[in-house]
Amino acid sequence: MDFRITAEEEALVFRLAELLDAGTHPRETQLVEELGPDVRQQLEGLKVKGWILVREATGGMVIVDLTGPAWNAVRSRRDVGR
């Protein structure tokens, strides 16, 4: 896993964590509608770096889950300041 991610990728990881925590498996097309076309490149980067697990579907990828280390990173950052 590559822990060097951009600020945009980090923000996307937190958004994906929110959606996944709510029981949603967001589609690439939904994220593009919400966050803009640049999200495609960020998703691909997170996939290659080992942060997200995806399933390819018609119309783009579906985010199935964050990887274990990604969840650990999200949880440790959520605890900052508490």
Side-chain angles (χ1 to χ4, degrees):
M1 180 170 182
D2 184 351
F3 284 96
R4 297 169 296 176
I5 61 173
T6 66
E8 292 84 5
E9 289 170 334
E10 181 179 9
L12 179 56
V13 167
F14 277 91
R15 179 65 182 131
L16 293 173
E18 289 173 2
L19 293 168
L20 292 164
D21 276 342
T24 302
H25 295 281
R27 294 181 167 274
E28 179 180 1
T29 52
Q30 294 167 319
L31 294 167
V32 167
E33 288 176 19
E34 178 184 341
L35 303 170
D38 291 343
V39 78
R40 284 191 172 100
Q41 181 179 352
Q42 295 163 10
L43 288 168
E44 190 60 37
L46 291 171
K47 183 175 84 170
V48 169
K49 293 174 184 177
W51 283 76
I52 59 174
L53 302 172
V54 302
R55 178 175 45 87
E56 295 299 327
T58 304
M61 66 177 80
V62 175
I63 292 65
V64 176
D65 209 348
L66 300 182
T67 61
W71 276 117
N72 290 337
V74 167
R75 289 186 181 111
S76 71
R77 289 292 302 272
R78 284 182 179 167
D79 293 338
V80 172
R82 290 187 181 171

